[in-house]
């Protein structure tokens, strides 16, 4: 399939490109920018006048709920949501049922995802068997099966001996360990940010030190082992201060933040709105402002959707009993654009897009996130001027719960191209 995308504004943060130019695609790759190659005859021409053409988005945390939780979502529904959101590559955590701790399960998930012919799916393998934090998985086998790193998802490793062994093993083979810093005991069972609001609402709290204590421990272990670590969904100003220092020291470290935490605070819980029940919990305005500043200066490498579809039975409950999580794949682009918009010129469109494409791809070690000749043709074409209202019926994801219900957000995806195949298109 030869595709000619004409008259679009191409924004590629990786090459600092921001210009109206044509893109030419053949055999699943970008073959030229600007001028058509000799003898190029397009099977399909996409008119992107007034639209932005950028690299397909890379999402560092999207739960697809298969295998085991098909009542919450299916690969089919969630990969369709990814296409609607312009997400062409996504990383999925290992907390499925059964857990992704055996190579056969990983191969099956990869095969099922390939059959959908939509986004590229990159699984994380479980760091410990069953995510129980006791015995290590066969990381080399899981890597051969297609895992790009190893994670505990939301489970902690209480035994620091085990964590040290895991990091030692990962360092030996050059694997990256993806961890969400959370102390195994402090804040366990908490449902909201420890602070005046949680006290007033009578909700059990998760203090910021649950994050910072885990970071202190992890950085000591990284110094001892030399392991590469990606920190998932940082939530606090104090945590970011520690990460900034660790990066300056030269520790092999990257980190991301969930899109919800870029915009919302614990005040958005309102009157016990279970849509705002997230893990980690929404924190204070000071924390949110620190997240925005850290995204801008590069301390935080990427924004992820933290896509976690939850069904009505588990969400329409009292706040403390509701399952944490929100749908996010279809909101990732809009929430990044809103971050740039809210900054009143402080954050450029190119910078906002880099945090959900180029930099996210670099974190995960993926050949994605760029518009360049020779690169796979993973492309998102969106209308920056149109706004859309977040409503349950507007979402393709089986998960209809998000704290942004009712919001009007900028940016509507008009077409998504994956490996030169038009997987989503509203332009015709």
């Amino acid at each position: 399939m030869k595709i000619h995308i004409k008259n679009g504004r191409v924004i590629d943060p990786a090459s600092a490109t921001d210009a109206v130019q044509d893109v030419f695609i053949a055999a699943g790759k970008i073959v030229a920018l600007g001028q058509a190659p000799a003898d190029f005859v397009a099977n399909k021409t996409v008119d992107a006048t007034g639209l932005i053409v950028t690299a397909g988005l890379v999402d560092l945390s999207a739960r697809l709920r298969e295998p085991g939780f098909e009542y919450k979502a299916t690969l089919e529904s969630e990969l369709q949501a990814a296409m609607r959101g312009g997400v062409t590559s996504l990383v999925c955590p290992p907390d499925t049922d059964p857990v992704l701790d055996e190579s056969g399960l990983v191969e099956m998930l990869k095969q099922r995802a390939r059959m959908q012919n939509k986004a590229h799916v990159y699984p994380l393998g479980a760091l410990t068997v069953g995510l129980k934090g006791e015995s290590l998985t066969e990381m080399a086998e899981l890597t051969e099966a297609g895992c790009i790193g190893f994670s505990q998802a939301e489970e902690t490793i209480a035994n620091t001996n085990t964590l040290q062994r895991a990091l030692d093993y990962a360092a030996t083979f050059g694997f990256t360990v993806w961890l969400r810093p959370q102390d195994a005991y402090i804040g366990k069972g908490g449902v909201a940010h420890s602070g005046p609001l949680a006290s007033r609402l009578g909700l059990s709290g998760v203090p910021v030190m649950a994050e910072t204590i885990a970071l202190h421990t992890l950085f000591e272990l990284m110094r001892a082992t030399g392991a590469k670590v990606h920190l998932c969904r940082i939530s606090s100003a104090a945590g970011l201060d520690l990460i900034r220092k660790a990066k300056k020291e030269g520790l092999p470290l990257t980190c991301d933040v969930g899109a919800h935490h870029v915009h919302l605070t614990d005040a958005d819980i309102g009157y016990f709105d279970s849509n705002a029940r997230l893990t980690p919990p929404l924190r204070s305005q000071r924390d949110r402002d620190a997240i925005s500043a850290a995204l801008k200066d590069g301390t935080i490498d990427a924004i992820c959707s933290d896509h976690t579809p939850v069904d009505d039975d588990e969400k329409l409950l009292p706040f403390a009993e509701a399952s944490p999580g929100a749908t996010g794949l279809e909101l990732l682009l809009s929430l990044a654009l809103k971050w740039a918009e809210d900054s009143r010129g402080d954050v450029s469109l190119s910078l906002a897009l880099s945090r959900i494409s180029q930099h996210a791809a670099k974190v995960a070690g993926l050949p994605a996130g760029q518009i360049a000749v020779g690169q796979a043709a993973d492309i998102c074409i969106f209308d920056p001027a149109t706004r859309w209202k977040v409503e349950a019926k507007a979402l393709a994801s089986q998960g209809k719960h998000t704290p942004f219900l009712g919001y009007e957000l900028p940016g509507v995806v008009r077409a998504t191209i994956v490996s030169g195949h038009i997987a989503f298109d509203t332009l015709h």
Side-chain angles (χ1 to χ4, degrees):
M1 180 81 164
K2 290 184 175 178
I3 303 170
H4 173 198
I5 303 170
K6 65 176 190 182
N7 303 332
R9 177 185 166 193
V10 175
I11 298 183
D12 176 44
S15 60
T17 300
D18 185 346
V20 173
Q21 61 178 6
D22 291 9
V23 180
F24 300 90
I25 296 166
K29 297 241 191 296
I30 296 169
V31 291
L33 297 168
Q35 291 294 316
D39 307 326
F40 185 93
V41 180
N43 307 102
K44 187 168 181 71
T45 301
V46 177
D47 186 356
T49 306
L51 305 177
I52 288 175
V53 179
T54 193
L57 310 190
V58 179
D59 189 353
L60 295 179
S61 181
R63 287 174 171 82
L64 304 176
R65 294 309 201 190
E66 281 197 39
F69 299 106
E70 287 82 357
Y71 62 94
K72 294 182 186 181
T74 61
L75 266 179
E76 193 175 356
S77 66
E78 302 323 288
L79 290 179
Q80 185 55 36
M83 294 301 90
R84 293 267 288 269
V87 176
T88 55
S89 299
L90 51 87
V91 178
C92 54
D95 51 351
T96 48
D97 183 18
V99 165
L100 296 181
D101 59 3
E102 289 181 12
S103 53
L105 292 167
V106 174
E107 283 160 2
M108 189 174 73
L109 176 63
K110 293 272 289 181
Q111 174 62 19
R112 290 262 298 112
R114 266 195 301 272
M115 284 163 61
Q116 295 291 327
N117 202 16
K118 293 193 173 83
H120 309 289
V121 173
Y122 299 97
L124 292 173
L127 188 59
T128 59
V129 175
L131 297 176
K132 292 195 172 103
E134 291 159 9
S135 46
L136 306 188
T137 54
E138 296 289 346
M139 292 187 218
E141 279 181 22
L142 288 166
T143 301
E144 276 175 32
C147 289
I148 62 159
F150 298 91
S151 162
Q152 277 294 104
E154 295 307 319
E155 303 304 319
T156 53
I157 296 180
N159 186 332
T160 39
N161 258 335
T162 306
L163 184 54
Q164 182 178 4
R165 284 206 341 270
L167 292 175
D168 250 333
Y169 187 87
T172 305
F173 292 96
F175 302 145
T176 303
V177 177
W178 296 47
L179 294 172
R180 188 172 75 76
Q182 169 76 34
D183 187 82
Y185 302 106
I186 290 174
K188 192 175 184 182
V191 297
H193 168 61
S194 280
L197 188 96
S199 300
R200 271 205 313 279
L201 296 177
L203 296 173
S204 55
V206 182
V208 163
M209 66 175 167
E211 186 165 281
T212 55
I213 287 172
L215 286 170
H216 278 295
T217 303
L218 196 50
F219 294 157
E220 283 297 331
L221 292 174
M222 286 176 73
R223 289 179 191 109
T225 61
K228 278 195 313 192
V229 172
H230 174 68
L231 298 167
C232 308
R233 304 193 309 289
I234 296 302
S235 69
S236 70
L240 286 165
D241 283 344
L242 294 175
I243 290 164
R244 200 172 270 117
K245 286 179 189 136
K247 280 189 162 190
K248 276 203 181 113
E249 184 190 321
L251 290 182
L253 183 67
T254 52
C255 72
D256 68 48
V257 66
H260 309 100
H261 289 72
V262 178
H263 296 284
L264 304 176
T265 69
D266 58 348
D268 290 289
I269 290 171
Y271 291 102
F272 303 100
D273 178 8
S274 60
N275 285 326
R277 165 96 163 86
L278 302 167
T279 303
L282 294 169
R283 296 208 180 273
S284 70
Q285 188 164 335
R286 180 176 164 269
D287 294 311
R288 185 193 63 186
D289 293 346
I291 284 168
S292 192
L295 265 173
K296 202 177 145 198
D297 71 21
T299 302
I300 298 175
D301 299 86
I303 303 172
C304 70
S305 73
D306 191 18
H307 179 71
T308 309
V310 180
D311 67 336
D312 287 354
D313 288 351
E314 294 184 9
K315 206 55 160 163
L316 302 178
L317 290 168
F319 188 90
E321 292 168 34
S323 285
T327 190
L329 274 168
E330 292 157 89
L331 283 78
L332 181 60
L333 173 67
S334 291
L335 292 175
L337 296 178
K338 180 173 163 56
W339 173 55
E341 186 178 274
D342 291 350
S343 77
R344 296 192 169 87
D346 230 19
V347 174
S348 69
L349 188 54
S350 180
L351 177 65
L353 290 173
S354 76
R355 298 289 182 254
I356 52 174
S357 57
Q358 174 206 357
H359 291 292
K362 197 174 167 189
V363 163
L366 303 178
Q370 291 183 44
I371 292 192
V373 174
Q375 286 280 331
D378 293 343
I379 290 173
C380 167
I381 302 172
F382 70 92
D383 180 348
T386 303
R387 303 180 84 80
W388 64 289
K389 191 171 184 183
V390 184
E391 296 175 296
K393 65 180 184 205
L395 299 170
S397 168
Q398 208 169 302
K400 306 296 183 187
H401 296 279
T402 161
F404 293 100
L405 285 174
Y407 278 62
E408 277 213 341
L409 296 178
V412 173
V413 174
R414 296 294 185 204
T416 304
I417 298 171
V418 183
S419 298
H421 151 72
I422 298 177
F424 175 71
D425 180 14
T426 63
L427 292 169
H428 296 88

